[in-house]
Amino acid sequence: MVYELRKKAEEELLNHIAPFWLKLIDNENGGFYGEVSYDLKINKESVKGGIQTSRILWFFSAAYCATKNEEYKKAATHIYEFLRDKLFDKEFNGVYWMLDYKGNPSDTRKHIYCQAFAIYALSEYYKATADKEALDLAMNLFSLIESKGFNKENSAYLEEFDREWNITPNEMLSENGVIAEITTNTHLHVLEGYTTLYEVTKDSRVGERLKELIYTFYNKIYDKEEHYLKIFFDNKWNTIIDVKSYGHDIEASWLIDDAYKLLGLKDENIEKMIVDIAYKIKEQIQEDGSLINEAENGVKDFTRVWWVQVEAMIGYLNAYERTHDESLLKIIDKLMTYTMATMVDPREGGEWYWSIEADGKPTERSVIEPWKASYHNGRFCLEFMKRIGE
């Protein structure tokens, strides 16, 4: 079964996801087109998001590392140059939240989440090309996050700033009707970016911060009794709303494990957390094999979101590698069957739907937009290719 799962993931990457994204290269204004509507029309004048740009750069860099396909490397270099030349603020440092279609800043806010994704992408691009300029940019952003975006008083990463790095309310990473001063999401993606940066540099400062992040998850974010991650906090790490985000939980389980293994740590508590999160989320797997989105104050959202399904597949593959529990492979098989049958857009020129509603119909939302790139579904394919031998 496991090799068949790998084959399906590899075919999806090579025959569908990568060809779709290669058609979105903007050779006139740089980068990639930022939006494809639900009816599959490319909006060549859409905004180009900082997060989206970094995610595309990460994807083509990682795809090149896995396949050595020169077309992927060329695409990675194309969007790297756009990120370097347009997304970086040359005056106040850091990467902008949003650009217009020509590459001019349209929202100059700085967010730690956005800086972290740039680190993730630049580090992967360095892995693909050995371009030291990219690594220097990544290390610059690491120093920026640590100097501007880390609160030593509560050992938390800050969230949102204006262009000149003055703290502002965290509008961009708050949801569910709250404005959070600390979010699990930002901490998770700082950890993700630092993991790849440490992989390519072995810089002791990055390693120290990465280790502290792992223990921040264990000590501040993880509910040791319920085996969930708390999501939104005030500045004293008090939970401000009861939200359980099943996709973030299962994604965190394998991203934390990647960092843990890279650092060579040995701690039974961390290993137990990684596995316990995965087993707890099993309770939210539906009869059709899918994983639902979240629960707020005990009320479940039964929407099936594209990224939640793929992060679950990686998370359960990671848990299987730790436990050798064959039942986890059955979960992956059902998840993949569901995803390929419903989430993957069968229309000519389509990619993946944003989500499937509780009634089984695709959500009529743009299939590509600032929050949706080639990163989650592309990474799922690449992780299966990496973790499962041919």
Side-chain angles (χ1 to χ4, degrees):
M1 179 197 295
V2 69
Y3 299 107
E4 186 63 29
L5 295 172
R6 182 198 194 279
K7 183 180 178 183
K8 288 179 181 178
E10 185 173 19
E11 287 176 352
E12 177 62 19
L13 177 87
L14 298 178
N15 300 332
H16 187 203
I17 296 173
F20 172 89
W21 281 93
L22 287 170
K23 292 176 183 176
L24 295 184
I25 292 174
D26 183 350
N27 286 310
E28 182 179 355
N29 294 300
F32 281 58
Y33 298 123
E35 183 188 21
V36 178
S37 66
Y38 178 75
D39 58 4
L40 304 181
K41 290 183 171 61
I42 297 172
N43 179 1
K44 294 185 177 182
E45 296 187 1
S46 170
V47 293
K48 296 173 178 177
I51 294 164
Q52 185 188 52
T53 296
S54 291
R55 287 175 168 180
I56 299 168
L57 173 56
W58 178 87
F59 168 71
F60 278 110
S61 300
Y64 172 74
C65 288
T67 66
K68 302 308 178 192
N69 183 327
E70 290 293 330
E71 195 171 12
Y72 300 163
K73 185 178 181 181
K74 184 179 178 182
T77 298
H78 173 81
I79 198 161
Y80 163 69
E81 290 170 352
F82 181 77
L83 186 154
R84 178 195 66 194
D85 297 340
K86 301 294 186 179
L87 199 61
F88 264 90
D89 183 343
K90 305 296 191 297
E91 186 174 355
F92 295 104
N93 207 354
V95 295
Y96 296 119
W97 184 261
M98 195 69 65
L99 308 176
D100 68 15
Y101 76 99
K102 292 184 177 180
N104 302 308
S106 60
D107 186 336
T108 60
R109 276 180 284 192
K110 310 290 173 59
H111 203 292
I112 295 303
Y113 181 96
C114 195
Q115 314 307 308
F117 265 102
I119 289 174
Y120 188 46
L122 291 163
S123 300
E124 192 69 29
Y125 183 69
Y126 174 75
K127 208 157 73 170
T129 64
D131 186 333
K132 189 168 184 304
E133 178 189 53
L135 188 61
D136 289 343
L137 290 173
M139 286 302 297
N140 163 61
L141 290 175
F142 167 76
S143 298
L144 183 65
I145 288 177
E146 293 302 318
S147 64
K148 300 285 190 183
F150 182 68
N151 185 344
K152 293 180 181 177
E153 292 182 11
N154 61 6
S155 295
Y157 284 94
L158 299 166
E159 298 282 334
E160 188 168 316
F161 301 79
D162 66 15
R163 184 186 177 192
E164 297 178 27
W165 291 97
N166 300 299
I167 295 174
T168 58
N170 181 29
E171 296 177 358
M172 306 314 293
L173 264 289
S174 294
E175 295 179 295
N176 305 84
V178 300
I179 297 292
E181 294 180 83
I182 301 171
T183 71
T184 292
N185 205 1
T186 289
H187 282 74
L188 180 60
H189 294 291
V190 172
L191 176 140
E192 171 188 63
Y194 283 11
T195 298
T196 305
L197 184 61
Y198 183 70
E199 181 186 358
V200 298
T201 63
K202 293 299 189 289
D203 185 286
S204 61
R205 297 166 298 163
V206 180
E208 287 165 10
R209 302 303 304 131
L210 187 57
K211 181 179 178 181
E212 185 165 334
L213 267 163
I214 291 172
Y215 283 96
T216 294
F217 270 89
Y218 183 73
N219 293 317
K220 303 286 189 183
I221 297 173
Y222 179 55
D223 186 322
K224 299 178 181 64
E225 294 181 3
E226 296 294 326
H227 308 308
Y228 285 112
L229 302 181
K230 293 166 279 188
I231 299 297
F232 296 122
F233 306 86
D234 65 18
N235 65 4
K236 299 186 186 303
W237 286 104
N238 297 309
T239 306
I240 59 175
I241 186 172
D242 176 18
V243 173
K244 295 177 174 65
S245 179
Y246 306 127
H248 285 116
D249 281 12
I250 195 67
E251 180 184 19
S253 73
W254 76 266
L255 286 175
I256 291 169
D257 204 4
D258 269 13
Y260 174 84
K261 288 181 285 197
L262 181 65
L263 290 169
L265 301 177
K266 297 294 178 185
D267 187 326
E268 291 180 2
N269 290 324
I270 302 299
E271 294 178 21
K272 186 175 186 302
M273 172 180 70
I274 289 162
V275 172
D276 284 352
I277 289 173
Y279 277 85
K280 183 67 177 181
I281 298 302
K282 281 173 63 177
E283 297 172 10
Q284 309 307 327
I285 300 286
Q286 303 300 294
E287 282 294 318
D288 60 11
S290 65
L291 176 59
I292 62 173
N293 185 33
E294 65 178 21
E296 180 182 337
N297 295 320
V299 178
K300 293 182 180 180
D301 173 7
F302 285 89
T303 309
R304 278 68 158 184
V305 182
W306 101 99
W307 70 265
V308 173
Q309 313 313 309
V310 296
E311 295 301 336
M313 284 190 269
I314 305 169
Y316 283 112
L317 182 56
N318 187 75
Y320 170 74
E321 291 169 348
R322 280 208 166 270
T323 65
H324 304 292
D325 179 352
E326 295 285 333
S327 73
L328 300 180
L329 291 181
K330 294 177 182 177
I331 289 175
I332 299 167
D333 186 45
K334 288 190 73 174
L335 270 163
M336 189 174 289
T337 299
Y338 171 84
T339 300
M340 295 300 177
T342 63
M343 207 68 65
V344 176
D345 187 347
R347 298 175 296 172
E348 182 70 28
E351 197 233 26
W352 288 36
Y353 297 118
W354 179 282
S355 59
I356 303 298
E357 300 292 336
D359 63 7
K361 296 178 181 177
T363 305
E364 293 191 17
R365 179 169 171 171
S366 292
V367 296
I368 302 303
E369 47 115 291
W371 283 101
K372 189 165 184 288
S374 47
Y375 148 79
H376 283 291
N377 52 359
R379 184 168 70 177
F380 138 68
C381 299
L382 291 164
E383 284 292 325
F384 271 59
M385 290 162 63
K386 179 173 72 176
R387 291 168 183 256
I388 303 171
E390 294 186 62

